[in-house]
Structure formats: structure tokens, C-alpha cells
Amino acid sequence: SKYPDCPVLKLTDKMHIPNDPSNPFPALGNGVCDGGIFNTKECGWDDGDCLECNALVPKPTKIGDDYCDGGLYITAPACNADGNDCSSFISEFPECEVPEPERIGNGHCDGLPYFSHAC
């Protein structure tokens, strides 16, 4: 194995395509930064997919942590919508650009820019 210490290779890949035995871990090194357990030194920073995003954001560990972060995490194409954490937010609010997307719909009126037509 290219990454013998990569923990994701010891687990069932959460993005596993069950009917493709030739590619049991399609998320590792697939050209998209998945973050999370893929974005580690042991996994070659998602086999190189997260190198550009890691250089752009202040805390690469926040990529793919199941929390939609704002800023470059969501806007930089290399970051894959924060390791896919923000895909549902982008789908629901495609024109909404806020520093903390998780504040949308949290039950609190956060004012501008959160309280806007786009959001």
C-alpha cells in the first residue's frame, strides 16, 4: 500500500462505492479534497488532493469535520465546499455568502448578513 499507516485504509470508506471492487477507497486521491480522516500526513493529505486547500486555510483540520465553516473553506474550489461539509448549505442557499454558515437557521436572529433575502 502507498500509505501503510493511513487509518482510512483500515476502515470502510464512508464514500465507498460498493459495486467497484477495483477501487475500494475512491475518495482517497480522487482529485477532490475530502478532508477529515483523509487529510492527514499518514494518508498523504488525501493523496495530495488537499495540499492546495491546506495552504489556503488557517486550520486544515476543519476541512471535512462535519461542520460547515465559512470563508475560504467554502469559497476556495480547492477546498471542495469545506471537504463536502457545506454541500447541503450551498444547495439550499446558493447566493448566501456569510462568515459562519452554521448560523443560518440556528434559531437566533443574527442580523446582517445572515438576515438577508439570499440567506
Side-chain angles (χ1 to χ4, degrees):
S1 170
K2 189 173 180 180
Y3 303 105
D5 297 324
C6 179
V8 74
L9 298 177
K10 298 173 185 163
L11 303 171
T12 300
D13 184 353
K14 66 181 180 180
M15 298 173 187
H16 178 67
I17 301 170
N19 295 326
D20 187 0
S22 67
N23 192 10
F25 298 99
L28 186 65
N30 65 347
V32 177
C33 178
D34 298 295
I37 58 175
F38 300 94
N39 192 20
T40 63
K41 181 180 178 181
E42 294 78 19
C43 296
W45 312 114
D46 195 358
D47 195 18
D49 292 345
C50 293
L51 289 173
E52 184 179 345
C53 182
N54 288 349
L56 294 172
V57 298
K59 294 183 181 175
T61 55
K62 294 175 82 175
I63 305 163
D65 65 353
D66 295 324
Y67 184 88
C68 180
D69 299 290
L72 287 171
Y73 294 95
I74 192 171
T75 61
C79 294
N80 185 32
D82 194 11
N84 219 22
D85 291 342
C86 300
S87 58
S88 61
F89 173 81
I90 291 169
S91 177
E92 191 171 346
F93 305 102
E95 303 298 319
C96 180
E97 293 183 20
V98 292
E100 297 176 67
E102 291 283 342
R103 291 174 67 178
I104 301 293
N106 67 356
H108 301 283
C109 182
D110 295 302
L112 290 174
Y114 302 92
F115 184 69
S116 67
H117 179 71
C119 300

